[in-house]
């Protein structure tokens, strides 16, 4: 195995770990948001994450070029708005519908890559997208009504797809710590601004809520952003999006393990389809393919 292949494999495994962490937060988020406003929860979570990353990686930020600082600002605004829209939408619709609609970023990512980057997407990727979408539907969809919550969540999925595309286009491995830190700071600012209407953020109500918020801030927030930023410096954006569709699989697994849900045929079949989609993209032949975008090609200047 070549060095490039090993790095690509490590990046894929990193994204899988990050996605598993995201999947583990579902039950925690539901419990905390029931006891404090959405914007307040997100503000506290990302302020904590921003403070820690700034303390650890401020020197990496200082080494960023001005252009990368502006890119970090844009990425942070996109992701922060996506977080707010997704969580507000979740307050208005069922978690199952929210999970499916959020997972639509796997559909938006190759479409945005084609429209924005003029990237030619291999046909096997579209087959994988169809499989992943069907898998997500089986995992999450229990009734579907197009109301305000659905539209908010759909818009958040569009922003997540845009974030994946932009991060894959701009991220460089040697700048991962600095770029992640800038994004964390901007996400925290976006969420803080969302709390201005009711006088600023309130703190978590008890010790259990604080533990949940700290876990989501440090592990699922700062840690996951570091992993994603580094991994997407080595993977095409569409492949990253397919790998990240394993989030609902992990969410279902944690829900079953924690007794919050029961194992069903939909979980088994849907999870299998999502994994099949990931393997199709990861294991498809790359030699002679002009459509498969190599990791280094993501970084050409615009």
């Amino acid at each position: 195995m070549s060095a490039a292949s090993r790095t690509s494999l490590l990046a894929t495994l990193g994204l899988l770990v990050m996605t598993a962490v995201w999947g583990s937060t579902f039950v925690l988020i539901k419990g905390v948001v029931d006891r404090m406003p959405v914007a307040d929860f997100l503000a506290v979570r990302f302020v904590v994450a921003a403070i820690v990353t700034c303390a650890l990686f401020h020197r990496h930020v200082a080494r960023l070029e001005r252009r990368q600082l502006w890119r970090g600002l844009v990425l942070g605004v996109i992701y922060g708005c996506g977080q707010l829209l997704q969580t507000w939408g979740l307050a208005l619709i069922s978690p199952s519908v929210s999970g499916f609609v959020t997972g639509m970023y796997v559909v938006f990512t190759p479409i945005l890559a084609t429209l924005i980057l003029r990237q030619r997407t291999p046909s096997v990727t579209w087959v994988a997208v169809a499989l992943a979408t069907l898998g997500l539907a089986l995992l999450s969809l229990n009734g579907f009504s197009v109301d305000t919550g659905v539209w908010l969540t759909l818009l958040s999925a569009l922003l997540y797809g845009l974030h994946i595309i932009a991060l894959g286009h701009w991220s460089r491995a040697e700048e991962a710590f600095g770029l992640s830190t800038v994004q964390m700071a901007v996400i925290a600012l976006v969420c803080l601004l969302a709390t201005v209407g009711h006088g600023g953020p309130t703190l978590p109500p008890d010790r259990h809520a604080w533990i949940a918020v700290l876990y989501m801030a440090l592990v699922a927030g700062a840690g996951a952003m570091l992993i994603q930023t580094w991994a997407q410096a080595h993977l095409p954006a569409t492949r990253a999006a397919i790998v990240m569709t394993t989030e609902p699989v992990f969410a279902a697994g944690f829900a079953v393990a924690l007794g919050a849900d029961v194992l069903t045929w939909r979980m088994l079949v849907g999870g299998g389809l999502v994994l099949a989609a990931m393997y199709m993209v990861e294991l498809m032949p790359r030699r002679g393919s002009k459509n498969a975008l190599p990791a280094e090609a993501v970084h050409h200047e615009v």
Side-chain angles (χ1 to χ4, degrees):
M1 182 182 290
S2 67
S5 296
R6 285 194 297 270
T7 301
S8 178
L9 177 60
L10 185 60
T12 300
L13 292 175
L15 280 182
L16 278 174
V17 170
M18 176 202 73
T19 307
V21 169
W22 282 349
S24 72
T25 64
F26 178 79
V27 176
L28 295 175
I29 290 175
K30 190 68 176 174
V32 175
V33 171
D34 285 344
R35 290 180 287 161
M36 63 185 297
V38 167
D40 296 32
F41 156 68
L42 292 175
V44 174
R45 172 186 175 182
F46 285 108
V47 165
V48 171
I51 290 173
V52 171
T53 53
C54 286
L56 293 175
F57 305 119
H58 60 276
R59 290 187 178 89
H60 293 80
V61 175
R63 290 198 289 266
L64 291 177
E65 298 176 356
R66 180 176 296 181
R67 175 166 50 187
Q68 286 300 85
L69 289 172
W70 279 108
R71 288 172 171 175
L73 172 64
V74 172
L75 288 167
V77 169
I78 293 172
Y79 195 89
C81 291
Q83 282 281 304
L84 286 165
L85 289 169
Q86 180 191 10
T87 314
W88 279 329
L90 178 59
L92 301 174
I93 58 178
S94 69
S96 59
V97 174
S98 176
F100 172 67
V101 179
T102 301
M104 290 299 290
Y105 66 74
V106 73
V107 177
F108 291 139
T109 299
I111 294 173
L112 290 171
T114 300
L115 294 176
I116 297 174
L117 302 181
R118 306 300 180 189
Q119 175 183 330
R120 295 178 60 193
T121 304
S123 57
V124 68
T125 298
W126 293 110
V127 175
V129 165
L131 283 177
T133 301
L134 180 58
L136 286 166
L138 286 172
L139 277 168
S140 310
L141 194 58
N142 285 308
F144 190 90
S145 59
V146 183
D147 55 18
T148 303
V150 170
W151 289 117
L152 289 173
T153 310
L154 190 64
L155 184 55
S156 78
L158 181 64
L159 291 177
Y160 288 148
L162 183 60
H163 181 266
I164 292 170
I165 290 294
L167 186 60
H169 194 62
W170 290 337
S171 177
R172 295 173 175 84
E174 66 275 11
E175 297 173 341
F177 290 162
L179 190 61
S180 298
T181 301
V182 174
Q183 289 183 80
M184 276 293 133
V186 175
I187 294 167
L189 179 60
V190 169
C191 295
L192 278 172
L193 290 174
T195 70
V196 170
H198 56 268
T202 56
L203 297 178
D206 53 48
R207 181 171 63 88
H208 295 293
W210 266 112
I211 292 173
V213 169
L214 289 175
Y215 171 75
M216 287 180 280
L218 302 179
V219 181
M225 182 62 72
L226 288 171
I227 292 173
Q228 184 184 4
T229 301
W230 177 84
Q232 285 205 241
H234 301 284
L235 293 174
T238 298
R239 183 174 295 126
I242 294 290
V243 173
M244 289 161 65
T245 60
T246 55
E247 181 180 359
V249 179
F250 286 116
F254 279 109
V256 170
L258 295 174
D261 210 335
V262 294
L263 187 64
T264 65
W265 70 268
R266 290 171 60 142
M267 287 186 184
L268 291 173
V269 177
L273 288 172
V274 170
L275 292 175
M278 183 189 74
Y279 294 147
M280 284 186 66
V281 173
E282 279 302 302
L283 302 179
M284 66 181 179
R286 297 179 190 179
R287 61 181 183 277
S289 174
K290 297 181 182 180
N291 293 334
L293 195 66
E296 60 269 22
V298 179
H299 307 304
H300 66 78
E301 299 301 328
V302 293

